[in-house]
Amino acid sequence: MRRKQKRLLRGAGILLPIFALPSPYGIGTFGKDAYRFVNFLSGSGVSYWQVLPIGPTSYGDSPYQSFSAFAGNPYFIDLDLLIEEGLLTSEEVSLDWGDDPSRVDYAKLYKNRFQVLKKAFSRSHFFESPSYRDFCRENPWLEDYAFYMALKMYFHAASWLLWPEEVRRRDPQTLRKYRTLLLQEIEFWKFCQFCFFRQWTALKTYAHEEGIEIIGDLPIYVSLDSADVWAQPSLFCLDESLKPKEVAGVPPDAFSATGQLWGNPLYNWEKMKEDHFFWWQQRMKFSAGLFDVIRMDHFIGIARYYAIPYGEKTAENGHWEKGPGKALLEAISPALGDSRLIAEDLGVVVPAVTRLRKSFGYPGMKVLQFAFDSTPKNPYLPDHYEQNCIVYCGTHDNETMSGFFAHQKPEILRFAKSYLGVHSRKELNWACIRAAYASAADLAVIQMQDLLSLGNEARMNYPSTISGNWCWRLKQGQLSSKLSQKLLDYAQLYDRKGGIFNERV
């Protein structure tokens, strides 16, 4: 008999990506402001910090399109910590990181960050230490990733599909030649990963000491332009020229009239079954070492997935295919260890998705922003929640709550105000936060932007668009003691000041 996952203990969380933290270097890092945020969480009665994917981003800067399913984003390496170690000077990091502290300037980051990190690498002796050698040995994905990034930089940042034929097809003699040629560059990318995971581990350890668990985000698909696809093309549905046969996305929905064309290559599930989904087992085991709870993005794709012919301009002409289902989940469940899984089951949910999720005990997701546009029977209204679920006011793909209510039809506003017991539109944002806290859901997670009552100028992502997303950042001074006390009052009032670490104590 399959053992179901234990439910999450009742608690509250805040969704704030690493890149959205304050820092003097243009993007959030694992430095002092990350530790300050942990302190804010702890003092606010919040038990969970949810982040977005932490992998190295590619074109479009989306954390859901990464150069690796395993590697970390070098942008998050804190430069002040490298200064403390004597690898950099204050003068060397005093560069133009952007003019607006509330927005990430990715162009300036790309221009300056790797130059600075290479200076640190040139002074480092990490590669002589036992801890560095252990890190390289314990992470078998590292060699392919570092080699891939070295090749990418050598070929002027081009996608691997545009590399010379012998390199694309991993001809052994050609690869030996390039490994020799790019030896130092390969070591640089390994150095970046060593720094990333060393700083991440220290931050996670501190969070645990403060009673905070980390919820990570696992994109179901990997990027076409990634070390994963280049290194193991047989695991993906590619044609003889190594181009995708079909790509991932979702059909037309509330987010987009033409659907969402993600462009990720689809998995060769039949091939993956041959070794009992070993690649997925390794991925889940690695993620379980990084996060206490793992939100599996697009869980629907496990039951069935949407396949769009490669080369289509929209997602309108795709078709549904049966996914690996319980065979995959049975293979990866042991790899989770003590970590737990959240199933992101938003979208077109067929009965098979719900049955699969419930058979493993995974909590699903509820989004309050979807609750007010129909009738009192809307399943996203809090009075319909089961306990084993996670409620969000909105996610990274939604408008902020203030932005959402600013343009709704009068009948939606009337229903929302009546349901939430308020009299004005301006009260709706915090009324939703309170409703999430008061609900039966085991976990209530609120975006930082909604806690600050910000409008759509602070929106994180507009699905089906490329430019201007993933840029919003928290500014210094926005985490007030007044906000902390309000959240603490809610946590105590609605019995959410818990979490697994507090129970252990």
Side-chain angles (χ1 to χ4, degrees):
M1 183 176 178
R2 182 185 302 125
R3 188 176 68 178
K4 289 187 177 182
Q5 174 178 283
K6 291 183 179 180
R7 280 173 40 202
L8 296 168
L9 295 179
R10 185 171 175 85
I14 293 179
L15 170 56
L16 182 72
I18 301 296
F19 64 76
L21 288 163
S23 91
Y25 304 116
I27 194 169
T29 70
F30 300 141
K32 58 186 179 182
D33 283 293
Y35 288 79
R36 288 171 180 161
F37 184 64
V38 169
N39 293 339
F40 174 83
L41 295 173
S42 180
S44 304
V46 174
S47 308
Y48 298 88
W49 177 8
Q50 181 171 332
V51 299
L52 294 186
I54 59 176
T57 49
S58 58
Y59 176 71
D61 308 306
S62 170
Y64 295 90
Q65 295 285 351
S66 177
F67 291 134
S68 170
F70 296 85
N73 193 336
Y75 288 161
F76 299 164
I77 297 170
D78 187 66
L79 301 184
D80 286 334
L81 291 175
L82 297 184
I83 291 173
E84 291 177 11
E85 294 178 289
L87 300 179
L88 293 170
T89 67
S90 299
E91 291 74 22
E92 288 170 333
V93 301
S94 297
L95 301 171
D96 182 6
W97 301 108
D99 301 322
D100 186 352
S102 68
R103 306 286 291 178
V104 180
D105 189 328
Y106 286 100
K108 290 180 178 177
L109 274 174
Y110 184 78
K111 176 183 177 182
N112 293 324
R113 178 56 70 103
F114 294 113
Q115 293 180 19
V116 170
L117 290 176
K118 284 190 174 181
K119 288 179 181 178
F121 169 67
S122 69
R123 296 165 187 155
S124 171
H125 298 287
F126 287 160
F127 47 85
E128 299 172 359
S129 69
S131 58
Y132 178 76
R133 291 195 294 270
D134 289 344
F135 173 76
C136 294
R137 185 181 67 255
E138 293 166 0
N139 292 281
W141 56 268
L142 182 62
E143 190 65 41
D144 279 328
Y145 165 75
F147 191 19
Y148 167 85
M149 291 303 299
L151 287 165
K152 173 173 276 292
M153 296 302 103
Y154 183 80
F155 293 121
H156 309 291
S159 165
W160 68 270
L161 286 170
L162 301 176
W163 296 353
E165 182 78 1
E166 297 83 1
V167 187
R168 288 198 304 119
R169 296 190 179 275
R170 297 178 61 85
D171 172 67
Q173 184 176 347
T174 302
L175 294 191
R176 282 195 295 271
K177 181 187 77 172
Y178 278 105
R179 277 197 180 95
T180 301
L181 176 66
L182 300 174
L183 180 60
Q184 280 296 102
E185 185 75 6
I186 293 170
E187 288 300 319
F188 165 70
W189 291 104
K190 290 182 180 179
F191 162 81
C192 288
Q193 291 306 300
F194 180 68
C195 291
F196 176 96
F197 286 107
R198 194 173 57 140
Q199 291 188 5
W200 168 256
T201 300
L203 177 60
K204 181 187 173 188
T205 299
Y206 182 77
H208 284 184
E209 291 170 354
E210 294 297 309
I212 307 300
E213 292 195 88
I214 307 292
I215 303 175
D217 197 317
L218 188 80
I220 185 173
Y221 295 116
V222 301
S223 174
L224 175 59
D225 187 14
S226 69
D228 311 284
V229 183
W230 173 68
Q232 299 187 74
S234 66
L235 299 182
F236 303 88
C237 292
L238 309 180
D239 62 21
E240 292 181 357
S241 66
L242 298 179
K243 293 180 180 178
K245 297 176 183 177
E246 295 175 311
V247 295
V250 291
D253 57 16
F255 287 121
S256 174
T258 58
Q260 297 180 45
L261 178 61
W262 298 335
N264 307 77
L266 297 173
Y267 293 109
N268 185 343
W269 290 119
E270 291 303 314
K271 177 68 175 177
M272 285 187 159
K273 283 182 184 178
E274 294 176 4
D275 61 4
H276 199 48
F277 304 99
F278 180 75
W279 183 87
W280 268 96
Q281 290 181 49
Q282 294 299 104
R283 188 185 187 196
M284 295 306 296
K285 182 179 180 181
F286 184 77
S287 297
L290 296 178
F291 309 117
D292 303 295
V293 185
I294 301 167
R295 172 192 177 273
M296 179 177 279
D297 187 60
H298 195 58
F299 180 83
I300 291 171
I302 302 297
R304 65 170 190 164
Y305 60 93
Y306 194 65
I308 306 162
Y310 183 62
E312 288 284 322
K313 301 301 182 184
T314 73
E316 295 171 283
N317 296 321
H319 59 277
W320 290 103
E321 295 283 351
K322 186 177 181 180
K326 68 178 182 179
L328 174 64
L329 298 181
E330 286 174 346
I332 65 175
S333 288
L336 286 169
D338 293 331
S339 291
R340 289 140 296 157
L341 202 69
I342 294 171
E344 188 271 286
D345 57 348
L346 305 175
V348 183
V349 181
V350 295
V353 174
T354 303
R355 287 195 301 268
L356 188 64
R357 177 181 64 77
K358 288 188 173 182
S359 69
F360 284 85
Y362 301 148
M365 288 175 52
K366 302 293 183 183
V367 179
L368 268 170
Q369 200 166 115
F370 301 158
F372 306 110
D373 62 351
S374 55
T375 70
K377 295 185 182 297
N378 188 314
Y380 289 105
L381 287 168
D383 57 286
H384 298 308
Y385 296 171
E386 59 182 7
Q387 287 180 290
N388 192 29
C389 72
I390 319 299
V391 57
Y392 297 78
C393 289
T395 75
H396 58 274
D397 281 333
N398 299 121
E399 298 178 80
T400 66
M401 294 307 287
S402 293
F404 170 77
F405 285 120
H407 64 81
Q408 293 306 306
K409 296 177 181 178
E411 57 268 29
I412 291 177
L413 292 175
R414 278 196 300 270
F415 178 64
K417 285 186 284 188
S418 179
Y419 184 91
L420 296 168
V422 296
H423 301 288
S424 69
R425 190 189 74 194
K426 289 184 178 180
E427 296 176 277
L428 286 171
N429 174 56
W430 268 96
C432 283
I433 295 172
R434 185 164 190 157
Y437 265 71
S439 74
D442 286 335
L443 181 56
V445 178
I446 315 298
Q447 277 203 107
M448 193 70 241
Q449 298 98 307
D450 292 330
L451 294 174
L452 298 174
S453 300
L454 299 177
N456 280 340
E457 73 281 356
R459 183 171 178 169
M460 194 60 72
N461 179 47
Y462 288 82
S464 299
T465 65
I466 295 178
S467 62
N469 297 317
W470 320 110
C471 293
W472 178 82
R473 294 179 65 201
L474 184 68
K475 292 191 293 187
Q476 293 284 0
Q478 286 185 302
L479 297 179
S480 67
S481 58
K482 181 179 179 181
L483 175 60
S484 179
Q485 185 60 52
K486 189 171 186 176
L487 291 175
L488 181 59
D489 291 343
Y490 277 15
Q492 292 171 334
L493 181 62
Y494 297 114
D495 191 29
R496 291 196 180 276
K497 194 177 184 300
I500 191 167
F501 293 106
N502 289 330
E503 183 181 78
R504 286 171 183 165
V505 173

